[in-house]
Amino acid sequence: VKIEAYGGVELGGTLKENLILENLVSDPNLPDYSITSDLVIPSGIECLIVEDGVVIMVQEDVGIRVEQGGRFSNFDALNREGFETDFKSSNGWKGILVQGGTLNLQNARIEKAGLSAFAGYQEKGAILITEGSVLEWKFSNNVFKESLSIDFIMEAGVSADSSFTDNVLSNAIPMKVPFQYLSKIRDDNKFPSEYDYI
């Protein structure tokens, strides 16, 4: 599905076909898309951001869920770089849950995520990557702003050979990752001036 309409296109529910998100509105302060209910990316489906400057407004207590075999990416595989993408919310949103799927995210600004947990999960996080998921390429140049719970959670059993580099974290508990992933966290990440622990 290629969306060519102009102005805050509403998204939500389970995708039936691949979804390509383009920069529809020239004003960077206005959303190109609005997620009004949980956006679910099921097996065999991709949701790809293919242009720079896409702004996604996420309604309160709504999130993005990538199921096993699904893929969510704002990454240009040919040039090996991410497009700048904004995830905004007025009152907070659930965040991104990768539930056995694949995530490839770079140069994203993730604002006010981690408001509440997804159904079936007790833990809240701006990004939660569960066992059996894939963190594709490297997680880099992402900015967490005013996260309402842990910025980045990775469970054991995630396929993640790549590094966690040059990200900006915001929460008092910025990260929760398996011990063996700590070596992938580079020194160029920026943590809050005061935080409780990793």
Side-chain angles (χ1 to χ4, degrees):
V1 176
K2 183 177 180 181
I3 295 176
E4 295 180 331
Y6 286 85
V9 175
E10 288 191 5
L11 301 174
T14 301
L15 296 180
K16 304 297 184 190
E17 298 178 277
N18 292 342
L19 180 63
I20 295 173
L21 303 182
E22 298 177 332
N23 189 346
L24 303 177
V25 181
S26 58
D27 187 338
N29 297 310
L30 297 175
D32 301 291
Y33 305 92
S34 179
I35 301 178
T36 57
S37 63
D38 282 359
L39 181 65
V40 180
I41 305 165
S43 179
I45 300 296
E46 294 184 317
C47 180
L48 303 176
I49 299 169
V50 298
E51 287 184 348
D52 208 30
V54 169
V55 178
I56 300 171
M57 179 64 73
V58 190
Q59 300 302 313
E60 186 174 355
D61 213 20
V62 168
I64 299 169
R65 182 161 49 95
V66 188
E67 294 183 339
Q68 185 172 3
R71 183 170 181 260
F72 183 60
S73 176
N74 73 338
F75 183 78
D76 181 351
L78 293 177
N79 295 318
R80 292 193 173 243
E81 62 184 25
F83 298 116
E84 286 193 10
T85 309
D86 281 356
F87 298 89
K88 296 184 175 184
S89 179
S90 297
N91 300 311
W93 60 297
K94 289 179 188 173
I96 300 172
L97 168 65
V98 187
Q99 193 176 25
T102 298
L103 177 68
N104 196 334
L105 200 62
Q106 295 184 24
N107 301 337
R109 286 180 289 276
I110 304 156
E111 180 181 312
K112 295 183 181 176
L115 174 66
S116 59
F118 283 85
Y121 292 85
Q122 292 189 355
E123 208 154 32
K124 299 183 291 185
I127 292 185
L128 171 57
I129 306 175
T130 67
E131 180 181 4
S133 300
V134 177
L135 183 60
E136 194 176 52
W137 192 229
K138 60 183 177 181
F139 191 89
S140 66
N141 297 297
N142 298 297
V143 176
F144 294 88
K145 184 178 178 184
E146 299 178 49
S147 292
L148 302 172
S149 57
I150 300 172
D151 294 307
F152 183 86
I153 302 173
M154 176 192 288
E155 293 184 350
V158 172
S159 176
D161 293 329
S162 56
S163 60
F164 187 96
T165 180
D166 205 22
N167 299 288
V168 178
L169 298 110
S170 70
N171 194 258
I173 307 173
M175 304 180 72
K176 182 178 179 182
V177 299
F179 185 78
Q180 59 268 27
Y181 190 70
L182 290 177
S183 63
K184 306 286 186 184
I185 301 171
R186 303 294 183 228
D187 292 338
D188 54 9
N189 292 290
K190 297 170 184 67
F191 291 89
S193 56
E194 293 184 14
Y195 62 89
D196 295 340
Y197 58 86
I198 295 173

